[in-house]
Amino acid sequence: MDKKRNKYIFNRLVFHFRPQNVPESNLIFNHTWGLGGISATLVILLFITGILLQFVYEPLPGNAYDSIVYLQNDVLFGRLIRNIHHWSANILVLAAFLHMMRVYFTGGFHHPRRFNWIIGLFLFFLVLISNFTGYLLPWDQLGFWAVTICTGMVEYIPLFGSWLLKIITGGSETGSPSILFFFTIHTSVIPVFLITIMMFHFWHVRKAGGIVSPVSLRKESWEENSGGKDNNTKTVQHLIVRELVVALVLIAFIMVFSILFDVPLQEKANPGLSPNPAKAPWYFMGIQEIFLHFHPLFTVFIIPVIFTSVLIFLPYIKYDSDVSGAWFFSRKGRKMGVVACVTAIFVTPLAVIYDEFFVDLNSLIPQLPEIINTGLFPVFIIIAAITIFYIWIKNRYSASNNETIQAVFILLSVSFVILTITGVWFRGSGMALAWPFTVL
Ligand code: HEM
Ligand code: HEM
């Protein structure tokens, strides 16, 4: 009797945020790889461990570092809690990025999910800012200088740059007001936004009738398939159980990982002694790598604005056909994706090496200002190269614009990943190119 009652209460609880039945296609693991659920589980882990850390952590430059040392050495499970918080945060960046890729490559961003794509982008932004604001809190050399490098870039934003820098740092450099500002943003402002917007994100998934169905199960006909049936299935018995399994496996993995690998803690921050090289956190290394090649105005403002606008408007472009639900749209789309990926793998490192050793963009045309030589001119070349690639691959494969836009998306994403890898592993002293794994 009690068991029945417990089950009833559990089900009622679940039905507050999930429907009683979901389409069978929502259960296919390799359609989503559980990445949205994995991201959500990581956020919950971060909240629990973050609150625990707050019992010991002191957000003042004089105390922050010592409170972390105390946490690690004298508090029961203190080191483990810090490790779980740190690794979950880093894995979250990866999981959210892969989730975004999954959504894009299964066409989950078309109508009626267009606005949810934009909400997702905002969530990704919040995840990055959470990570970034957390990075400063241990107040060691690593976090201090990584944050100093990034806040230094903010100054180049036109009109608002120095104002923004003042707000972030409380002055002109990283110091006592910065740690309090970062702490408040990290532990109060972002968590509230993150939870609220996550709820909105989930509500939109439900409003769209669950996740996008694989093409083979869609009721409308499609070029290779017509009229597969997407039956409904009971949420608790099938979906919730699967989600719980994925969450438990993830938590077990993070526990083991956190027991085996300690989070680094360097010496206490010394504002007078910059490490060499001084690097941004790994998820911003792609931007720091671009910074090494382009004019700062282009790196911190024009390129990010173009890139973010493209991501925001991606769902609103007029596509040739609606093929949401099919991985990579079609077989041809997959083939073109491979071509784009291979092109990025070859061309990006070559461009980095060429700029590093063979050309000095600064003195390309000495009479012209730096902003043209290292900004306008190379950006124009890149946009022209992307346009040529677009036209070439579209004609070569007689492709639809869905498939061609996807190929360009892959080209740019893989290039950005390669720039990040270059920055993290192939930059040594003075940020010069160096053979791998020199300094992290
Ligand atoms: C998406 C959510 C979050 C992310 C991505 C995140 C990320 C991080 C990162 C990367 C660090 C630095 C860890 C280190 O290297 O030591 C950190 C530290 C910290 N976080 Fe979070 N965090 C999140 C949520 C929270 C929440 C909700 C709280 C508390 C309410 C919190 C409290 C703290 C505290 C007190 C520290 C300093 C202790 C330390 O550095 O070990 N975090 N966070
Ligand atoms: C904290 C970060 C995020 C969390 C916790 C989260 C969570 C989820 C979950 C649980 C789903 C249901 C399907 C699934 O598991 O794949 C989902 C779907 C979706 N997410 Fe996210 N998400 C996050 C970030 C993002 C990002 C960065 C994007 C894209 C820019 C995005 C766009 C979408 C879209 C469009 C859907 C509907 C896709 C479909 O119907 O197949 N989300 N999200």
Side-chain angles (χ1 to χ4, degrees):
M1 179 64 190
D2 260 350
K3 216 170 151 193
K4 233 178 181 174
R5 200 179 131 73
N6 288 345
K7 196 173 158 195
Y8 174 79
I9 293 173
F10 178 75
N11 286 357
R12 287 285 111 197
L13 208 67
V14 168
F15 296 149
H16 273 85
F17 56 98
R18 302 307 272 274
Q20 288 203 19
N21 297 299
V22 286
E24 232 168 38
S25 60
N26 286 20
L27 307 180
I28 302 172
F29 186 69
N30 62 10
H31 187 58
T32 62
W33 299 101
L35 287 162
I38 287 175
S39 305
T41 311
L42 288 168
V43 171
I44 294 168
L45 264 183
L46 280 159
F47 267 73
I48 297 170
T49 48
I51 290 169
L52 292 175
L53 287 171
Q54 254 184 317
F55 282 107
V56 177
Y57 180 76
E58 295 180 42
L60 287 171
N63 308 5
Y65 185 80
D66 295 335
S67 69
I68 297 283
V69 173
Y70 173 72
L71 171 89
Q72 295 200 144
N73 299 335
D74 298 306
V75 177
L76 189 64
F77 296 126
R79 189 185 289 270
L80 180 67
I81 301 287
R82 177 169 183 240
N83 289 352
I84 296 175
H85 195 76
H86 178 97
W87 295 127
S88 304
N90 284 273
I91 297 171
L92 176 62
V93 176
L94 245 147
F97 176 75
L98 292 176
H99 168 63
M100 177 166 124
M101 292 293 141
R102 182 299 278 174
V103 170
Y104 181 77
F105 292 126
T106 54
F109 61 99
H110 292 294
H111 178 77
R113 298 176 177 86
R114 287 199 286 218
F115 190 59
N116 216 11
W117 168 265
I118 292 172
I119 296 173
L121 288 177
F122 193 50
L123 279 176
F124 194 56
F125 172 74
L126 289 177
V127 166
L128 288 179
I129 299 297
S130 304
N131 264 285
F132 180 61
T133 47
Y135 215 69
L136 180 71
L137 300 184
W139 204 251
D140 65 345
Q141 277 288 76
L142 187 72
F144 180 87
W145 283 103
V147 168
T148 303
I149 294 284
C150 294
T151 48
M153 290 187 197
V154 168
E155 217 175 359
Y156 292 105
I157 297 176
L159 302 177
F160 305 102
S162 41
W163 175 76
L164 210 62
L165 182 69
K166 221 177 231 158
I167 290 189
I168 295 174
T169 59
S172 57
E173 54 194 37
T174 320
S176 175
S178 338
I179 197 167
L180 252 179
F181 180 80
F182 275 55
F183 179 74
T184 312
I185 296 283
H186 185 82
T187 56
S188 311
V189 180
I190 295 188
V192 170
F193 272 98
L194 199 59
I195 285 297
T196 316
I197 293 169
M198 257 171 66
M199 292 301 153
F200 202 41
H201 192 55
F202 298 158
W203 176 71
H204 265 274
V205 173
R206 187 166 170 182
K207 198 166 154 248
I211 59 170
V212 65
S213 303
V215 150
S216 56
L217 289 171
R218 284 182 50 178
K219 291 187 179 82
E220 305 93 17
S221 62
W222 187 61
E223 49 178 298
E224 284 178 10
N225 187 300
S226 51
K229 215 166 175 330
D230 199 354
N231 295 319
N232 274 341
T233 182
K234 289 212 175 308
T235 304
V236 175
Q237 284 90 329
H238 297 111
L239 185 62
I240 300 285
V241 167
R242 282 170 164 83
E243 286 175 342
L244 277 178
V245 169
V246 173
L248 287 176
V249 170
L250 173 73
I251 292 169
F253 170 77
I254 288 185
M255 287 299 265
V256 173
F257 197 84
S258 301
I259 289 168
L260 294 179
F261 300 101
D262 281 339
V263 173
L265 183 70
Q266 294 190 351
E267 315 85 77
K268 189 170 178 167
N270 179 353
L273 181 72
S274 158
N276 185 8
K279 291 188 177 184
W282 67 268
Y283 37 84
F284 287 151
M285 269 317 298
I287 298 178
Q288 197 183 354
E289 181 61 36
I290 296 174
F291 193 74
L292 295 174
H293 303 280
F294 292 89
H295 189 277
L297 177 69
F298 279 80
T299 311
V300 300
F301 189 68
I302 297 177
I303 297 175
V305 165
I306 296 178
F307 201 67
T308 315
S309 313
V310 168
L311 283 177
I312 290 175
F313 288 110
L314 217 48
Y316 298 94
I317 298 173
K318 193 157 175 18
Y319 292 95
D320 290 342
S321 53
D322 174 16
V323 284
S324 44
W327 272 100
F328 301 103
F329 295 138
S330 61
R331 218 163 287 134
K332 194 194 286 171
R334 199 167 307 179
K335 219 186 260 172
M336 290 165 67
V338 174
V339 173
C341 186
V342 172
T343 309
I345 289 174
F346 278 103
V347 172
T348 316
L350 284 180
V352 169
I353 291 169
Y354 184 68
D355 183 36
E356 182 91 359
F357 298 114
F358 299 102
V359 64
D360 181 11
L361 282 177
N362 259 325
S363 52
L364 203 61
I365 306 174
Q367 299 86 331
L368 290 180
E370 198 189 330
I371 191 159
I372 297 192
N373 277 335
T374 62
L376 215 55
F377 183 63
V379 165
F380 176 76
I381 301 261
I382 289 174
I383 292 178
I386 293 170
T387 312
I388 292 170
F389 178 81
Y390 182 95
I391 295 168
W392 170 76
I393 203 160
K394 189 168 173 48
N395 289 336
R396 167 83 178 70
Y397 288 91
S398 316
S400 65
N401 75 350
N402 304 31
E403 290 155 340
T404 320
I405 290 168
Q406 177 182 257
V408 172
F409 181 85
I410 292 176
L411 183 83
L412 294 179
S413 309
V414 175
S415 283
F416 190 74
V417 170
I418 290 174
L419 290 177
T420 305
I421 292 173
T422 309
V424 172
W425 282 307
F426 293 88
R427 290 272 171 199
S429 176
M431 291 305 277
L433 273 185
W435 192 243
F437 314 124
T438 355
V439 189
L440 259 178

